[in-house]
Amino acid sequence: MSKVAKALADETRCKIFELIAKSKEISCKEITEKVGLKQPTISHHLKTLQESGIVNVRKEGQYHYFSVNERALEEFSNYITKFISKR
C-alpha cells in the first residue's frame, strides 16, 4: 500500500494517473502530448506507477499502452476506507 501512496503523492503522477483512468487504454505518446513534459520524464513517472501496481502496461511492438489495474486500485481504496470508517 505504501508504494501506491508514494506513487500518487506526486502531482505529476496524479495527473498521469487521471489520464490513464479516464481512458480504457492510453499510449505513452498520448500521455506525453497531454501532460506536456518530455518523454523520458513521463516514462519515469509511468514506471513508478507501474511498479506500484496500480497501472498495467501492454507492449505492442515499440509502443506501450497503459491502463488502470482495477484490482489493485480497489485494494488500495478498501485499505483507505478502513481508516475512514474507524472514526
Side-chain angles (χ1 to χ4, degrees):
M1 294 301 133
S2 62
K3 283 185 178 183
V4 175
K6 183 179 178 182
L8 294 175
D10 181 88
E11 186 177 338
T12 300
R13 282 193 290 271
C14 276
K15 186 174 182 178
I16 292 169
F17 182 76
E18 287 176 23
L19 286 172
I20 296 168
K22 289 178 182 177
S23 306
K24 180 178 178 182
E25 191 174 65
I26 188 168
S27 71
C28 183
K29 181 181 178 187
E30 291 174 284
I31 294 169
T32 301
E33 291 169 354
K34 291 181 180 188
V35 175
L37 296 173
K38 294 185 179 190
Q39 191 274 328
T41 302
I42 296 295
S43 290
H44 168 76
H45 288 301
L46 287 168
K47 182 179 179 184
T48 302
L49 289 168
Q50 183 185 355
E51 288 174 348
S52 76
I54 59 171
V55 170
N56 296 318
V57 63
R58 180 178 66 83
K59 297 175 185 177
E60 189 174 300
Q62 65 182 7
Y63 299 101
H64 293 75
Y65 296 90
F66 296 87
S67 61
V68 171
N69 180 341
E70 299 288 341
R71 182 172 171 241
L73 191 59
E74 185 176 329
E75 288 174 6
F76 184 70
S77 176
N78 291 338
Y79 175 77
I80 297 298
T81 302
K82 285 191 278 186
F83 296 108
I84 296 169
S85 62
K86 289 185 179 181
R87 293 205 236 161

